[in-house]
Amino acid sequence: MAGKLSKTQKSESARAAIRRLQRLSRNYHYIHAECGLIRSSINGLASELGAPQRRLKEALDDATALSYTVNEDGSIGYPAGGKNEMTGEKIPGGSAVGNNGMLTPGNNGLYPPSDKGLYTPGTGPGTPGLINPNPNHAKAQDIADRIAHALREAREIDERYRQALSKLKAGPGLKVDAKTWADAAADVKAVGEAATEYLKGDIPLDKSPAARKDWWDHLTQEQREEYLAVYPDVIGNLDGIPATVRDEANRENIQLLIGKLSGQDDEESKTMLDGLKGIQEKLQEPSVPPMYLLGIGDEGNGRAIVSYGNPDTAKNVSAYVPGLSTKLDGEFVGGTMKRAQDTALGAREADPHSSTASIVWLGYDAPQVSPTDLAANTDVMFRENAEAGAPAYNSFMAGISATNENEDPHITAIGHSYGSLTVGLAAQEKGGVPGADDIILVGSPGTGAKTADDLNVGKHHVFVGAADNDIVTKLPNHNEASGMGAGAAGGGSAGLVLGLGMGGPIGGVVGGAAGTVVGGVAGYMAQDQQTDPSQIWFGTDPANKAFGATRFLVDDGPPVTEGGFDAHSHYFTPTKDQMSADNIAKIVVGKSDEIVLEQPR
C-alpha cells in the first residue's frame, strides 16, 4: 500500500499517510514476531509433553491390565501373591513408590530413592531385608518408576516453557523502536533455548546445502513458520535454504540485531550499527533489481550477504567477495553493495533477455588494512582470513547451486582485492567453487595458485582485471618486500623534514605520510627490477602471462601520486571505469567472447 501510494500521490497528506502506514507495518511486524514466538512455545510444550504423556498412559494401561491400584500420589498398590515358605501363607500385598523424582501432594521436592522392594517377612516392603518375594511387587515397582519418570520429565518441560513464556511481554507504551526489538531479541533467545529439543535439534546443520534444501522442502508450512519465528538467525544464514525464505528471516533478524547493538556503547558496535541501519534503509526503499538479504550477523567485523535479483530464479548468478578493509559499516552500504548493484544493472544491459542476480558476499573477516598500510608494510597481510573464508564461500555457492531453479545456470565467482585470494583458495579446494563456470579476479594481490589451471574451471574461464596504477596488483613478493619497507621508511623521513620546513607540524604529518607512500612505491620498483616479475605477495600475478588467465581491458586509474589508491576501487563502477564494468557484466551473462582484451603483463 505504501509503495503504490508513494508512486501515485505527491502531496503532504500522501506523505503523512505513508508515514502512518510504515509505522503500522513496523507494529504488525513486531506483533507477528512475538505471536510467532508464543505459538512456537505452545506448540513446543505440547509436542514435548507428548512423549511423557504416552509413557504415562502405557504405565496406567499396564496397571489396569494387572488390576493394580494407582494411588493419587502415584504409588502402585498390588495384591498378595506367592507363598511364604515359613508359614505357607500368601505373601501380603503392598505398594510400590517410584524412585524417579515424581511430585506428591504437599511435597514440592523429589521422592528419595525407594528401597526397590527390600523386604522383611511379615512387615511388607519398606524395611531393609530380603528382596520382596511377592511376584507382584517387581511389576508394580516398574509401573511406579515409569509413572514417576514421566511426571518428572513433564515437570521439567513445563518449567522450561513457563520461563520462556513469562518473558513474552511487550514493554509499556505503543512505540516499536530499537528498545522494543532489543526486548524481542531476548524473547527469541529465551524461546530458542526452550525449544532446542523440539525444533533446533532437527535443523540439519551438519548436512550439505542440498540436504538442507530437501529438509526444508519437506516441512509443513506451519513448521517453516515456527523455525522462522524462533530461529531467524539460523534459517536466515543457512546455506541451502531458498533465497526468499532467507530474506524473510533476515529482515526480522536485522531488526533484532539493531535492537541488540543499540544498547551497546563500544565503537565496534556503533560502527556495525551504522551498517545495519544502512542496509535496513535500503531494504525499505524500492530497488532495481529487487534486493534480497541472504545473510546478516554480528560475528567478527560483521556479516552481510546481499543480492540484487533473486538468485534462485536468475539464469545468471555472480557472487563477489570484497577485500581489504571491508566490514559491516556505513561504507559497506554506500560502496561495496553499490558495486554489486552496478554489476546487476550492467548485466541487464549486456543481456536484456536473461535474468541476473548479483551478490556481494561478506561472509568472512577481511583484513582491516588499507592499501596505504600495505605501501608501508606488506607484513600486515596474511592468508589466515582467506583460509577461513574459503570453505564458507564454497558452502554458500553450493547453496546457490542447490536452490537455483534453472537447469543450467551460469555462475560466476568474483574476487576483488584480498577477496580474490579467498576466491582463489576456495577454487583450489577439492571440486573447486561449486557450480562456478567462470572466475573473475580484479585488483588481485595473488590467489595462492601458480597458474589459472589450478582454479578448477579451466584457464580460459579465468578472467583478470588489473589497473596499471593499482599498486595492490603489484604487491612485492617476499624478497621485494624489504626494498619496499626501506623505501617507505626513507620516503617518510624525507617527507617529514620537507613538510616541517614548508608547513610546520601539520605539513610534517602530511609530508611524512605522502613520503611513506611514494618512497614505498619507489623502493618496490627498485627491487622489482631484480626479481621475477610474475611473483607477487600471494603467488603468481594473475595478470601475468605466466599465470595463463585472460586479461581484460580496464582503465589505468590515476597514479598514486595523484589519486592515492583510487585505481584499486574503480573496477565495478561505470562512472569511474566503464570499460572494466562492461567487461565484468559481459562475463557474468556468459558473453565473455565479447569482452575487450588486454595483453598480460
Side-chain angles (χ1 to χ4, degrees), residues 566-578:
D566 289 348
H568 184 60
S569 59
H570 290 173
Y571 295 101
F572 300 91
T573 310
T575 56
K576 300 290 185 179
D577 190 345
Q578 185 71 59

Side-chain angles (χ1 to χ4, degrees), residues 351-368:
D351 188 354
H353 306 294
S354 183
S355 57
T356 298
S358 175
I359 302 168
V360 54
W361 182 87
L362 184 60
Y364 81 124
D365 285 325
Q368 296 304 298

Side-chain angles (χ1 to χ4, degrees), residues 25-86:
S25 177
R26 289 192 297 270
N27 291 349
Y28 275 126
H29 186 186
Y30 171 72
I31 293 169
H32 178 268
E34 289 290 294
C35 288
L37 293 174
I38 294 171
R39 179 186 61 182
S40 295
S41 297
I42 299 300
N43 286 350
L45 175 63
S47 176
E48 290 195 46
L49 284 177
Q53 189 179 51
R54 285 191 300 272
R55 285 192 284 272
L56 176 62
K57 187 176 184 302
E58 290 168 358
L60 294 175
D61 288 344
D62 289 346
T64 300
L66 293 167
S67 298
Y68 293 171
T69 301
V70 179
N71 300 312
E72 287 187 4
D73 64 359
S75 62
I76 303 298
Y78 57 89
K83 189 175 182 180
N84 189 317
E85 295 180 357
M86 296 176 61

Side-chain angles (χ1 to χ4, degrees), residues 13 31 39 84 165 192 207 215 224 228 243 260 270 275 285 301 326 333 401 421 423 430 435 439 441 450 460 474:
S13 61
I31 293 169
R39 179 186 61 182
N84 189 317
L165 281 165
K207 302 295 185 182
W215 166 76
R224 292 174 183 173
L228 285 170
K260 171 186 173 183
K270 291 179 180 178
E285 300 171 356
N301 294 318
T326 307
V333 179
S401 295
L421 175 63
V423 170
K430 186 178 180 180
I439 292 176
L441 309 168
K450 185 175 182 180
H460 297 300
K474 299 180 178 181

Side-chain angles (χ1 to χ4, degrees), residues 135-158:
N136 291 308
H137 178 270
K139 297 176 184 178
Q141 186 65 58
D142 174 65
I143 294 172
D145 286 348
R146 287 154 57 196
I147 290 174
H149 180 273
L151 292 176
R152 182 190 66 183
E153 184 180 2
R155 176 178 178 266
E156 291 172 348
I157 293 169
D158 181 76

